[in-house]
Amino acid sequence: MRKRAGVLAIVSGLVSATAGLVAPSVAHANVSCGQTITTNTVLTGDVGPCANGGIIVGADNITLDLNGYRVFGTAPAADGVGIYLENRRGVTVKNGWVTDFDGGVVIRYGRGNTVTGIKAYDNLGSSLGHPPATGTSFGDGIAIQASTHNSIVGNEAVNNGPFSGIGIYQQTDSDHPGFVTGPAGYNLVDRNIVRDNNACRASGFCDNDGIRVEPNVARGNVISNNVVTGSGLDGISLFGGVRGTLVIRNIASDNGVTNDLGDGIRVFGPSNIIQYNQTDGNASGGVSVARRTGFGGGSFPPANPNGRGNVMFGNTASGNGIFDLWDSNPNCVTSLWRGNSGTLVSPPCTLN
């Protein structure tokens, strides 16, 4: 009997100890435009039309579940961000539509956030020139600004712009003003469908990319297993100064629909790894390193490290408009090309 009483006392103690471990509260709510949420939230209906921003995430380590519903703006530009994470960590945004804003989902100054199962459609900012591109601060379906270790996984980004379906930005510029420069490394962009992001700037200049990594972004970003088609200019573009990025197992085909210079994968930066990608039927090139005559002032000069020191391995390219594989540096300089396949190549070292 004393033994049984001891066991009961232990069980009672365990029950008491675990009584305080309550599951996080979840608010099932029909959130209003411009509302800040600070707890786990599951939508019970659409939010919008919102003329000045959708939902603001105001706490760390919470989940916003759109529950299949839509957060939507208005047809004209200048209606802000659909779902905005500023200085947030450990947030998950999932499972629904974000449409008709200047920027669909924007992570600014955050770390360790996840965006998954989001359909970012028709998020179109305005731009009045190049340069300067005064207008709205965005123009992307999903944007990471000065933020690290985020995961953009399993989303659809369709008909956004005029800058990108999915963009990573480290420094403020005339295209994306309004945030302080900061690191944007170790982000994962994986298994997304990125298509028909081909809206052009108001000036008519069209450089809308499917996945866009702008200048001098920090190391460690991974772009993998995405399907990128129908972009205005390039499918995947790594701008000057972008280094230490892995681009692997993507399909980047049929890009350059509004600009006949568009490539499947364009690499301006140095010391990146471009591996096992498929690039077919793009307007200009399949896999391209550095600049070409007629766009951006020709090739980089020998003293400029951009476009050098890249590793291009096991990529396949066919049916592209001008070339399948291209390196503007004579004899590929310091870049390593191995095991790639293509018919139209320049110079021959791009094959091996």
Side-chain angles (χ1 to χ4, degrees):
M1 179 66 73
R2 291 178 61 186
K3 185 175 181 180
R4 176 177 174 82
V7 172
L8 289 174
I10 292 172
V11 172
S12 177
L14 289 173
V15 171
S16 298
T18 58
L21 300 179
V22 180
S25 61
V26 178
H28 292 76
N30 195 16
V31 177
S32 58
C33 294
Q35 183 172 336
T36 298
I37 63 168
T38 57
T39 188
N40 293 332
T41 300
V42 179
L43 295 189
T44 58
D46 291 343
V47 179
C50 301
N52 191 26
I55 299 173
I56 301 168
V57 177
D60 296 340
N61 302 312
I62 66 172
T63 295
L64 171 59
D65 184 352
L66 303 190
N67 197 25
Y69 290 106
R70 179 181 174 217
V71 181
F72 63 102
T74 64
D79 44 11
V81 177
I83 299 176
Y84 191 34
L85 288 68
E86 184 170 20
N87 290 311
R88 298 276 66 92
R89 293 186 174 214
V91 170
T92 296
V93 177
K94 66 179 185 178
N95 189 28
W97 297 73
V98 184
T99 68
D100 298 299
F101 290 95
D102 302 326
V105 180
V106 176
I107 301 171
R108 180 177 283 186
Y109 312 131
R111 180 184 175 92
N113 302 290
T114 298
V115 179
T116 186
I118 293 297
K119 298 180 186 298
Y121 280 52
D122 307 321
N123 297 288
L124 302 171
S126 66
S127 171
L128 301 180
H130 182 259
T134 55
T136 59
S137 299
F138 306 103
D140 311 273
I142 301 171
I144 296 172
Q145 297 182 326
S147 306
T148 67
H149 296 87
N150 301 286
S151 297
I152 311 301
V153 178
N155 304 282
E156 294 182 20
V158 180
N159 190 39
N160 304 284
F163 300 116
S164 79
I166 300 173
I168 302 176
Y169 305 99
Q170 177 158 313
Q171 60 190 45
T172 185
D173 58 17
S174 59
D175 297 343
H176 291 81
F179 72 96
V180 178
T181 296
Y186 300 97
N187 297 290
L188 173 65
V189 179
D190 182 66
R191 286 177 284 131
N192 302 283
I193 296 172
V194 185
R195 62 177 174 85
D196 300 333
N197 296 283
N198 52 40
C200 297
R201 300 174 188 253
S203 64
F205 179 78
C206 202
D207 61 338
N208 196 348
D209 300 318
I211 299 175
R212 181 186 188 102
V213 185
E214 282 218 349
N216 303 314
V217 161
R219 294 176 179 272
N221 292 296
V222 176
I223 300 170
S224 56
N225 303 302
N226 302 283
V227 178
V228 188
T229 61
S231 307
L233 186 58
D234 299 323
I236 300 171
S237 185
L238 308 185
F239 280 47
V242 173
R243 64 184 67 222
T245 296
L246 173 63
V247 180
I248 184 169
R249 292 189 301 271
N250 301 279
I251 297 173
S253 299
D254 301 311
N255 298 288
V257 300
T258 56
N259 190 325
D260 61 8
L261 294 167
D263 294 344
I265 300 174
R266 177 82 65 88
V267 184
F268 293 108
S271 304
N272 301 286
I273 299 175
I274 314 300
Q275 190 171 26
Y276 301 134
N277 300 282
Q278 177 182 333
T279 58
D280 304 325
N282 298 286
S284 181
V287 178
S288 169
V289 171
R291 290 183 175 138
R292 297 192 303 276
T293 301
F295 186 83
S299 300
F300 288 102
N304 190 327
N306 281 311
R308 302 179 69 182
N310 294 289
V311 175
M312 331 294 289
F313 184 82
N315 301 287
T316 62
S318 65
N320 296 287
I322 300 176
F323 55 83
D324 294 324
L325 307 171
W326 167 274
D327 192 328
S328 74
N329 298 289
N331 299 316
C332 303
V333 191
T334 61
S335 290
L336 177 66
W337 294 77
R338 288 290 185 273
N340 302 285
S341 66
T343 301
L344 302 171
V345 303
S346 179
C349 55
T350 56
L351 283 174
N352 190 10

